[in-house]
Amino acid sequence: MNYTKEQIIAYCNDFSKNTLMETLKIEYIDAGEDFLVAKMPVNPSVHQPMGLLHGGASVALAESVGSAASHFFIDPKAQEVRGIEISANHLKSIREGFVFGTAKIIHKGRSIHLWEIKITDEEGNLISLCKLTNMVLEKKRE
């Protein structure tokens, strides 16, 4: 990875404009050689009818941070990333505050990246545990 932590965070937050990530108020906040972290507020806009964080919002956070992280292991001029499978186990509920999605690489192959994404609350309690598989594709020539 040839980017500074600050460059990674700025890039991820910039490409999130006018997307689902902006709608959910997902903000990238930390990065390293093998991980990326984003936070998302928990409020009525991401609740399910019982007033708890919607599992789909948790999965959107997980896929967003895992997919963004894969971009730093590819050549963006020649390659692109597609999420091909995601699974989530929702372990604890939350009504308000923030959740943090931390994506850590499990397998970094030429064509497949496998990520573990832990979603935690502000106290570090595990809310959801997700696994994301991304496929690396060659960009089609125009």
Side-chain angles (χ1 to χ4, degrees):
M1 193 179 301
N2 298 321
Y3 305 95
T4 68
K5 171 181 164 177
E6 292 76 18
Q7 288 172 318
I8 293 168
I9 292 168
Y11 178 82
C12 290
N13 285 318
D14 189 53
F15 76 54
S16 295
K17 288 181 173 49
N18 300 312
T19 68
L20 178 66
M21 286 81 79
E22 184 175 68
T23 300
L24 296 176
K25 297 183 175 33
I26 293 172
E27 178 186 359
Y28 295 89
I29 60 169
D30 197 10
E33 278 192 36
D34 65 346
F35 73 94
L36 182 62
V37 181
K39 72 177 185 175
M40 180 178 72
V42 179
N43 56 45
S45 70
V46 295
H47 282 170
Q48 40 94 312
M50 301 303 292
L52 303 169
L53 175 62
H54 193 292
S58 295
V59 171
L61 171 61
E63 185 158 0
S64 297
V65 72
S67 291
S70 275
H71 282 93
F72 296 98
F73 294 129
I74 66 168
D75 174 0
K77 292 181 178 132
Q79 299 171 306
E80 53 193 11
V81 174
R82 295 285 186 276
I84 59 171
E85 183 178 11
I86 189 162
S87 65
N89 292 98
H90 305 299
L91 306 169
K92 187 175 170 108
S93 58
I94 181 172
R95 292 183 184 277
E96 60 185 12
F98 285 90
V99 287
F100 301 85
T102 302
K104 291 190 176 181
I105 192 78
I106 295 171
H107 172 76
K108 182 179 67 172
R110 285 179 286 128
S111 60
I112 296 288
H113 295 169
L114 180 62
W115 294 92
E116 175 187 76
I117 302 100
K118 290 184 178 178
I119 299 176
T120 57
D121 64 14
E122 293 169 280
E123 286 77 44
N125 297 307
L126 187 60
I127 304 299
S128 297
L129 180 61
C130 305
K131 183 179 75 172
L132 172 67
T133 305
N134 290 329
M135 181 171 44
V136 179
L137 299 171
E138 295 301 315
K139 283 188 175 177
K140 293 182 180 171
R141 305 220 186 258
E142 297 178 8

